[in-house]
Amino acid sequence: MKKVALLLSVLMFSNLSLADHHALALEARQERTEIELTSITLAGDSTTINAEAQMGVYGRVYMTFILASSDSGSGTYTFEGRGYVDEETAFSGTGVGVWNRDADGSTIIMEQLINISDGTINLDRIVMDPLNRTATLDVYALK
């Protein structure tokens, strides 16, 4: 719950910055990444999405998103990820985020804060297309 509160605080702060006509400058940590959705598991109160990608900074990455179910087409989720660059270099990351469906309901838009094991913090934007089992990921450096 603390992580969700932190995420909401950061998102509210960025909105306040824009309201004051000050832009929040974000630097991309890497190029846009194409993601393959490998499985989607439905449960009564959650949906679990597993995915894989080859990411420039983090190597071969395995991801799990656990979305809280919602009748409104939006909600919160948690994230776990592992990245393997080579035999000696691995990363882990945990995070929280908010998700919503686009207007036609076929695309899921997700924004998350990720704490990486090397001390970096990222703000990610993921656009998922469950029908085609694909997604795009944009990673921005916060720390």
Side-chain angles (χ1 to χ4, degrees), residues 30 53-62 82-86 91:
Q30 62 184 32
Q54 184 65 42
M55 297 177 70
V57 175
Y58 302 110
R60 168 60 60 185
V61 177
Y62 302 93
R82 302 293 180 273
Y84 300 92
V85 177
D86 55 39
F91 295 95

Side-chain angles (χ1 to χ4, degrees), residues 4 7 37 39-51 63-80 95-102 105-112 126-130 135:
V4 172
L7 173 66
L37 306 182
S39 70
I40 299 175
T41 304
L42 306 173
D45 59 351
S46 67
T47 299
T48 301
I49 301 171
N50 292 300
M63 300 165 259
T64 299
F65 306 89
I66 302 175
L67 286 66
S69 292
S70 170
D71 293 333
S72 68
S74 63
T76 60
Y77 68 95
T78 59
F79 167 85
E80 291 284 334
V96 296
V98 293
W99 66 271
N100 60 50
R101 293 190 182 279
D102 68 351
S106 64
T107 303
I108 300 171
I109 300 166
M110 306 168 74
E111 281 136 353
Q112 63 187 11
I126 303 162
V127 179
M128 287 189 178
D129 178 359

Side-chain angles (χ1 to χ4, degrees), residues 2 4 7 9 11 13 20 24 29 31 49 52 57 60 63-64 66 81 93 102 105-106 112 118 120 133 137-138:
K2 290 180 185 178
V4 172
L7 173 66
S9 297
L11 293 176
F13 177 76
D20 279 339
L24 177 62
R29 180 144 343 252
E31 296 292 321
I49 301 171
E52 293 182 27
V57 175
R60 168 60 60 185
M63 300 165 259
T64 299
I66 302 175
D102 68 351
S106 64
Q112 63 187 11
D118 67 353
T120 60
R133 299 178 69 161
L137 167 64
D138 293 305

